[in-house]
Amino acid sequence: MPSLPTDRLTRLLGIEHPLLLAPMAGVADEALAIAVARAGGLGALPCAMLDGDTLRTQVAHFRAAIEAPLNLNFFCHAEPVPDPARQARWRERLAPYYDALGIPRDAQATAAQRRPFDDDTCAVVEALRPEVVSFHFGLPSPALLARVKACGARVLASATTVDEARWLAVRGCDAIIAQGWEAGGHRGSFLDDTVATQPGLFSLLPQVVDAVDLPVIAAGGIGDARGIRAALALGAAGVQLGTAFLLSDESRIRPLHRAALRSSRAGQTAVTNLFSGRPARGIVTRLMRELGPMADDVPAFPGAGEALAPLRARSERDGVDDFINLWAGEAAPLARTGAAETIARALIDAALRQR
C-alpha cells in the first residue's frame, strides 16, 4: 500500500492519528490534552499564560496519565514599548461603559498576561523535553529555536499566508500549520497583519501544500468529519481542531462562554482586536458591535486587556458577556458536548479510519 500524506505527519510526531488539539490559552489544560492523546491524537498545552511552575505541574500530570507525545505551545510576539498616552486614550474611549456601570474610571483589575518565548521559558522546555513545541506569531530568535531543536522537539508554527509558510519552512520548522481565516482565537500572523486579505482555509491550504516541502496541518473552520476529509483531500497531512472541543467536559471555558456556544450566537463570529490588541476570532459581543470589531486606537498586544479588565470583571459578575472575549471559530455550531476523548474518537472513526 502506498504511503499516505498523513503517514508522514504521524511518523514525524509519533502519534497514531493525524489529529492535533489546538492549544487554546485560558480554556484548555492538561485534562483536555490527555483526552485527545488517549484517542491517538496530539495533545497540547497552551503555555503563553503559564508561569514555569504551573507549566511543570501540568506536564507532570500529563506524563503521569499517559505515555504519549505532547505539544507545548508558545507565543513569539515582541513585547510592546510602554505607551501611557495610548492606554489613556483607550481607557477614555471605554469611559462611557465605566460610567454606565458605576465603575470609577481609574479602576484596576487583573488582566491576562501573555509572555513571549524567552530564555527563561526555553530553559523550562529544555528541562521538560517535550516531543513537540509549536509557536504562534512567528518563531523565536535563531539561538532559542536552535536550543529547542537540540532538546529533540519537533517544531511546528502557524502561517496565515503562503509567504509566512515559506518563511517558516526556510527557518527550520518541521511542519506548518495553515491557519485559515475561519479559525477561532488569535490569528497567527507575523509578516502582515492586514487581516482583510488573509484567505480562508480551503484557499490557503492547497497553496501552502504546493509552496513547502513539509507536512501541512490544516486549521480553521473544521468542525466535523466532513471538514477533516475535505482538508485531507486538499493535501493536508493532518488537522488541528480547537473549537470542536470547547463544549467538551474537559474544556475550562467559563459558564458565560459555554452558554454563548450553546446558543444561536455561536454562528455569529468576527475577527476583532478589541480584547487583546491583536486580531482574534470570537463570538460577537456588545463591545464588538459598538466599537469595532477592529479599531485603530487599541493598545498594542497584549495591552488592550488592561483597561477592559474592570469591565470584564463586572460583566461576568452580572451574568452578561458584553466585555468578555468569547473565542470561537466559524464552525462553532458544530461543536459537541461530552467527553473530549469520545469526541476525538468519533471524529477519527468517521473521517480517518474509512479512507
Side-chain angles (χ1 to χ4, degrees), residues 6-8 15 20 27 45 51-52 75 84 110 144 154 188 191 197 215 218 235 237 256 310 328:
T6 53
D7 295 340
R8 188 179 180 192
I15 53 179
L20 286 67
V27 301
L45 292 179
D51 59 36
F75 287 175
T110 301
L144 289 177
R154 301 297 190 179
L191 293 183
T197 62
L256 288 172

Side-chain angles (χ1 to χ4, degrees), residues 9 74 76 84 88 120 169 181 206 220 310:
L9 183 69
F74 301 93
C76 291
D120 290 341
W181 175 244

Side-chain angles (χ1 to χ4, degrees), residues 206-228:
Q207 296 181 65
V208 173
V209 169
D210 289 348
V212 301
D213 186 23
L214 295 171
V216 179
I217 300 154
I222 302 174
D224 61 11
R226 294 168 294 183
I228 295 173

Side-chain angles (χ1 to χ4, degrees), residues 254 308-317 320 323-325:
R254 296 177 180 273
L308 274 171
L311 295 171
R312 177 188 176 107
R314 175 63 63 84
S315 180
E316 189 162 28
R317 190 195 75 181
V320 295
F323 306 103
I324 299 173
N325 55 286

Side-chain angles (χ1 to χ4, degrees), residues 23-25 48-49 73 75 77 112 114 136-137 158 160 179-189 195 198 219 240 270-282 301-305 325 327-329:
M24 299 176 287
M49 295 169 61
N73 176 261
F75 287 175
H77 60 285
R114 300 174 178 90
H136 217 47
F137 314 139
S158 299
T160 62
Q179 187 192 36
W181 175 244
E182 308 91 335
H186 282 98
R187 308 291 300 144
S189 312
V195 294
Q198 291 173 5
Q240 178 173 275
V271 171
T272 179
N273 65 347
L274 300 180
F275 294 100
S276 72
R278 287 189 72 111
R281 182 176 293 279
F301 179 87
N325 55 286
W327 299 148

